[in-house]
Amino acid sequence: MKYIFDVAFLPSEVFKDHDVRIVVDLLRATTQITTFFDGGGSVLVPLKEVEAAFEMKERLGKDWKIMGERGGLPAPGFDFGNSPLELLEAGVPEFAIITTSNGTRALMRAAEGCGRVLAGCARNAEAVCWDALCSGNNVGIICAGRNGEFSLEDTVCAGMLVEKLLALAPANGAEEMELTDGAMSAMALCHHFGPDITAVCQESTQVKILSGLGFDNDLFFCGEVDSSSTVPVLKDVDGVPALVGR
């Protein structure tokens, strides 16, 4: 059996054909999504725009909450922001809608032409890689980036996921593994910065922004590796593309 592992540095790239795609927005959307399910949430609807989130809440009903951010802070009228620690402290709702500057857009872009899309981060790294390996032989990792630009922390996290895929694939029957240029580059960057994801994050532009907004503790939470076994999967739920935990 042959596996092919690929990394796209931005959602705006022309994607290769993939059986499954893992979307990474380490700081903080895919970490927030994973935390939502870790905290007991059931269904999470990702949307690109703030206005669409309010329209969806009106359609789905008052039991649904809205979470996410614009510029790192919750938009007016949101029930929660995009801080996983604040979400856990406030109490995770059962049903929610999420819209963020980069992560939810990347999720919806990844769903184009691919039947299985997963939300990945450092916290669920091994779990999401196992799921991907069991979902197909051609695995793509899509970095959300930041406002259309390259993101250091997303790419290093993607490189860590490539390393985990390479380590786990033989146990799933892999006889041959191939890396695309994107996968090799992400893994090389991961090797350059070392295994400490939190330390990598501290060098990134996004952390400087979040720190200025008072979210320093989120950095350490988002940098924890393999602390969750949850794999958020994008599925059709009653006619709506939504994330469910696995």
Side-chain angles (χ1 to χ4, degrees), residues 71-72 146-147 204-215:
R146 187 180 66 85
N147 300 329
S204 73
T205 300
Q206 182 66 5
V207 160
K208 295 177 177 64
I209 294 171
L210 292 176
S211 180
L213 295 172
F215 293 114

Side-chain angles (χ1 to χ4, degrees), residues 3 8 15 45 50 70 87 89 97 104 108-109 111 124 140 210 231 233:
Y3 278 98
F15 292 163
V45 176
V50 170
R70 286 298 182 273
L87 178 64
E89 184 178 352
I97 299 154
T104 53
M108 304 315 291
R109 172 72 178 91
N124 73 345
L210 292 176
V231 180
V233 184

Side-chain angles (χ1 to χ4, degrees), residues 18 42 54 62 105 108 113 118 123 128-130 149 165 193 206 220 228 242 245:
H18 303 125
S42 296
F54 286 109
K62 63 181 181 179
R105 294 173 182 273
M108 304 315 291
L118 314 173
R123 294 181 66 85
V128 80
C129 286
W130 266 119
E149 297 181 351
L165 288 167
F193 281 98
Q206 182 66 5
F220 300 98
S228 171

Side-chain angles (χ1 to χ4, degrees), residues 27 53 80 94 100 124 140-142 153 162 170 174 200 228:
L27 300 175
F80 303 92
E94 185 175 1
T100 68
N124 73 345
I141 302 170
I142 313 302
E153 70 275 5
V162 172
V200 173
S228 171

Side-chain angles (χ1 to χ4, degrees), residues 110-129:
E112 297 175 12
C114 185
R116 188 167 181 81
V117 175
L118 314 173
C121 59
R123 294 181 66 85
N124 73 345
E126 185 161 317
V128 80
C129 286

Side-chain angles (χ1 to χ4, degrees), residues 166-218:
L166 288 171
L168 295 171
N172 206 50
E175 298 170 347
E176 183 180 355
M177 291 174 280
E178 177 183 326
L179 301 182
T180 65
D181 288 357
M184 286 189 286
S185 299
M187 194 166 65
L189 198 60
C190 183
H191 287 169
H192 173 76
F193 281 98
D196 189 339
I197 296 295
T198 300
V200 173
C201 290
Q202 289 175 322
E203 301 298 322
S204 73
T205 300
Q206 182 66 5
V207 160
K208 295 177 177 64
I209 294 171
L210 292 176
S211 180
L213 295 172
F215 293 114
D216 294 278
N217 288 337
D218 278 355

